[in-house]
Amino acid sequence: MAYCNRATQNGRFATAVYAVLDLRTMRAKVSMAGHPPPLLTNPEGGFKRLEAGGPLLGIFPDADFPECEVDLTMG
């Protein structure tokens, strides 16, 4: 069953991207809430979509927001 608060009843909602960067290991943990997947680019010109995450903020009271871990490289 969907949960709507006052903001979503008026057609307003919030998305978010949350990332934690560990500069020692050059790894990042990333999660999203209803946001289009961010792109992680590499020095060769390629990219990877970071797909971990969950629904819009405030829609479901017990929503889960899984995270992914990515290795970062110089450049």
Side-chain angles (χ1 to χ4, degrees), residues 10-22:
N10 293 328
R12 298 178 186 175
F13 55 86
T15 68
V17 174
Y18 182 78
V20 176
L21 172 61
D22 184 334

Side-chain angles (χ1 to χ4, degrees), residues 12-59:
R12 298 178 186 175
F13 55 86
T15 68
V17 174
Y18 182 78
V20 176
L21 172 61
D22 184 334
L23 293 174
R24 286 178 307 121
T25 62
M26 291 304 292
R27 291 184 61 79
K29 291 182 180 181
V30 181
S31 185
M32 293 160 290
H35 201 279
L39 301 176
L40 178 65
T41 60
N42 63 38
E44 293 81 36
F47 66 90
K48 173 183 177 180
R49 276 185 212 280
L50 304 180
E51 300 283 351
L56 296 167
L57 291 173
I59 299 294

